[in-house]
Amino acid sequence: MSATITFLGGADTVTGSKYLVEHKRQRLLVDCGLFQGYKQLRLRNWAPLPTVPGQIDAVLLTHAHLDHSGYIPLLVKEGFKGRVHATPGTLDLCKILLPDSGHIQEEDAAFANRHGFSKHAPALPLYTKQDALESLPQFQAEHLGVWFEPIRGWKARFQSAGHILGAASLLLEVAGRRVLFSGDLGRPDDVLMNPPEPPPQADTVLVESTYGNRQHPQDKLFSELGPLLHKLAKRGGVAVVPVFAVGRAQAVLHTIAQLKAAGELPRGLPIFLDSPMAIHTTALFEKHMGEHRLSLAEVHAMDSVATMLETPDQSKSLATRHGPMVILAASGMATGGRVLHHLAQYVGDHRNMVILTGFQAPGTRGASLASGQSHIRIHGQDVAVRAEVVQIESASAHADGNQVLSWLHRMPSAPGQVYVVHGEREASDMLRQRIAHEIKWRAVVPEHGAVWPL
Ligand SMILES: [Zn+2]
């Protein structure tokens, strides 16, 4: 009997990555992410999985971003007893990200209950900070390039994917088949991360397609961000920069440090990093030297370029300051976190600026801002958008269509089947067409919930 794969997430969307691989009544999940964005997507987080968590033997995690890892505390709460295999970098990041995710969900539920705008009474968190903490002992670190056995007779190996600290592609061997999961692929010219390792030979490939229909501009973050912040400082405004606490926050900080060192920014322009998660992640760069491009001096410069705001009181004290200043805060798509308070305060003034630094999934506030909507809804209130909104695509941590194609093309010979995943439908379909026409491999975009033989 051949093995099968079920697409439980990350098919026709960029979020909720979850691929169930089954063979002879044994099963594992590759990635275990939360759905984010539109409500109908978020509702999928509440729907039961087709397999009860107690019958899943292992989870293999490609990286720590919540759209890949954020469902793990719920899986454990609902009876998953196996190991979560991940690289050391991913494990360190999950210790930061998952408890915070539980905390945010508790806060959102409490806020909805206090203000009575939830249709559910009472609104409940998907899981709590405590649930997340209790899931962490099931993690097991696996080093890059070293085979391990997640289930007896199944073999797996991680290799570097660029993207963020700890991020990996995964090669899985089961029932005589080799399946390669690209994970989120970094770009070869990323400011922080090394280029992704070339793909090993496989029979089946799952490849991400976040930017499958786009090419990144040649501009470097350095040359985009510098002039923007100059303009902002001149008019005395405040820049609110929603950042992914892991990855983009550090890329922006590193670039600001470079701009300051090169004399390209007004010396006195205050920079604030208002995200405990991003602060802790920044500190991890020193622990994981060699897994990224930065020298120790660059790590220290990135660390000292901003004033770090850990406590809620420090965060609130920003509201009494006047511009110019730059506030980096999570979350990167403005779906929650401290950045919401700053947006509510600053987005109504035309002197101010919102700088979007990464992919904005449809249905998020970030996507509304990017598409030029005149109002956004924050904490149940409509807020007028008068600030200048800028999206800088050079900050992306994902390979673009050309870069994904040239990564794939480095595989020694054609695989039997490619599944194009982790993209909005248009992006996935464009990449599928390019794979079929330009390198002449068999490629499909699987439907959510589809089951295929491996
Ligand atoms: Zn990611």
Side-chain angles (χ1 to χ4, degrees):
M1 199 179 72
S2 69
T4 60
I5 185 163
T6 309
F7 295 87
L8 298 179
D12 72 37
T13 163
V14 289
T15 67
S17 277
K18 250 181 246 95
Y19 310 106
L20 181 72
V21 183
E22 295 183 78
H23 180 57
K24 289 191 177 162
R25 318 189 85 191
Q26 290 188 296
R27 38 191 87 75
L28 57 74
L29 273 180
V30 176
D31 285 343
C32 191
L34 280 180
F35 288 102
Q36 296 165 318
Y38 284 124
K39 188 164 190 188
Q40 83 229 39
L41 273 177
R42 284 181 282 123
L43 285 175
R44 286 187 188 167
N45 292 323
W46 294 88
L49 295 177
T51 301
V52 293
Q55 290 182 358
I56 295 170
D57 301 290
V59 173
L60 308 183
L61 185 56
T62 62
H63 69 290
H65 276 150
L66 288 178
D67 56 327
H68 295 255
S69 73
Y71 195 89
I72 288 171
L74 187 58
L75 197 77
V76 170
K77 184 172 120 177
E78 300 199 328
F80 170 68
K81 297 275 187 276
R83 296 255 160 236
V84 179
H85 302 266
T87 66
T90 298
L91 174 45
D92 276 344
L93 287 172
C94 281
K95 288 180 190 163
I96 298 170
L97 284 172
L98 294 180
D100 185 78
S101 169
H103 176 68
I104 284 178
Q105 296 189 53
E106 286 179 78
E107 277 195 332
D108 285 352
F111 195 93
N113 288 331
R114 254 194 332 272
H115 296 266
F117 62 75
S118 170
K119 292 183 197 85
H120 310 278
L124 294 173
L126 204 52
Y127 56 84
T128 62
K129 180 178 179 181
Q130 188 59 31
D131 294 328
L133 289 170
E134 287 170 10
S135 72
L136 294 174
Q138 283 172 241
F139 277 69
Q140 181 166 318
E142 308 290 354
H143 287 277
L144 290 169
V146 180
W147 287 102
F148 58 96
E149 257 198 342
I151 293 174
R152 189 190 286 263
W154 301 38
K155 280 169 67 185
R157 192 181 74 190
F158 288 119
Q159 65 169 48
S160 174
H163 188 54
I164 61 164
L165 215 57
S169 304
L170 171 75
L171 184 62
L172 178 68
E173 271 191 33
V174 53
R177 307 285 293 168
R178 281 187 149 204
V179 192
L180 177 66
F181 298 81
S182 73
D184 285 7
L185 283 175
R187 44 202 293 185
D189 54 349
D190 191 81
V191 286
L192 297 177
M193 305 309 298
N194 294 316
E197 280 182 59
Q201 188 60 50
D203 303 298
T204 303
V205 179
L206 274 76
V207 67
E208 72 124 321
S209 56
T210 313
Y211 285 102
N213 57 347
R214 278 189 250 177
Q215 299 336 315
H216 295 318
Q218 283 298 315
D219 274 359
K220 294 274 180 276
L221 191 48
F222 187 92
S223 48
E224 276 196 287
L225 205 51
L228 276 179
L229 295 183
H230 240 290
K231 185 164 75 168
L232 175 90
K234 231 166 123 186
R235 65 189 192 214
V238 176
V240 178
V241 188
V243 284
F244 298 92
V246 176
R248 292 311 85 188
Q250 290 76 35
V252 174
L253 281 180
H254 172 58
T255 304
I256 291 176
Q258 287 181 311
L259 285 164
K260 284 209 165 174
E264 300 269 339
L265 277 191
R267 288 178 51 166
L269 180 65
I271 314 288
F272 296 95
L273 179 59
D274 185 21
S275 161
M277 256 196 315
I279 294 168
H280 299 152
T281 301
T282 306
L284 278 182
F285 273 69
E286 191 165 343
K287 182 177 169 192
H288 292 270
M289 291 300 295
E291 291 179 37
H292 52 76
R293 288 182 194 266
L294 304 190
S295 67
L296 198 55
E298 288 172 322
V299 169
H300 290 158
M302 170 174 81
D303 229 3
S304 55
V305 74
T307 305
M308 307 285 183
L309 307 177
E310 282 254 19
T311 67
D313 282 344
Q314 288 173 321
S315 175
K316 281 178 199 144
S317 73
L318 276 187
T320 59
R321 275 189 73 107
H322 293 285
M325 62 176 159
V326 179
I327 305 170
L328 277 60
S331 70
M333 300 189 284
T335 51
R338 290 184 183 177
V339 77
L340 293 188
H341 299 284
H342 300 308
L343 284 175
Q345 172 148 15
Y346 296 111
V347 85
D349 186 328
H350 60 91
R351 280 175 309 171
N352 298 337
M353 209 180 259
V354 179
I355 303 177
L356 301 165
T357 59
F359 188 82
Q360 305 296 322
T364 60
R365 282 186 202 85
S368 303
L369 285 164
S371 68
Q373 288 190 15
S374 62
H375 289 78
I376 51 171
R377 211 164 166 78
I378 299 178
H379 295 144
Q381 308 263 337
D382 274 330
V383 185
V385 180
R386 294 190 198 88
E388 182 182 1
V389 178
V390 191
Q391 185 161 27
I392 43 177
E393 288 191 13
S394 59
S396 167
H398 289 267
D400 65 19
N402 286 341
Q403 291 164 339
V404 170
L405 266 189
S406 55
W407 180 80
L408 279 174
H409 210 187
R410 293 174 74 184
M411 184 173 284
S413 60
Q417 180 70 60
V418 178
Y419 295 105
V420 180
V421 297
H422 197 283
E424 297 306 319
R425 182 154 291 284
E426 246 172 76
S428 297
D429 203 57
M430 173 66 87
L431 186 65
R432 178 194 66 76
Q433 290 181 37
R434 293 194 63 189
I435 292 170
H437 297 141
E438 292 175 37
I439 51 179
K440 309 234 172 334
W441 293 359
R442 275 164 54 114
V444 294
V445 179
E447 299 273 326
H448 179 70
V451 187
W452 289 72
L454 274 179

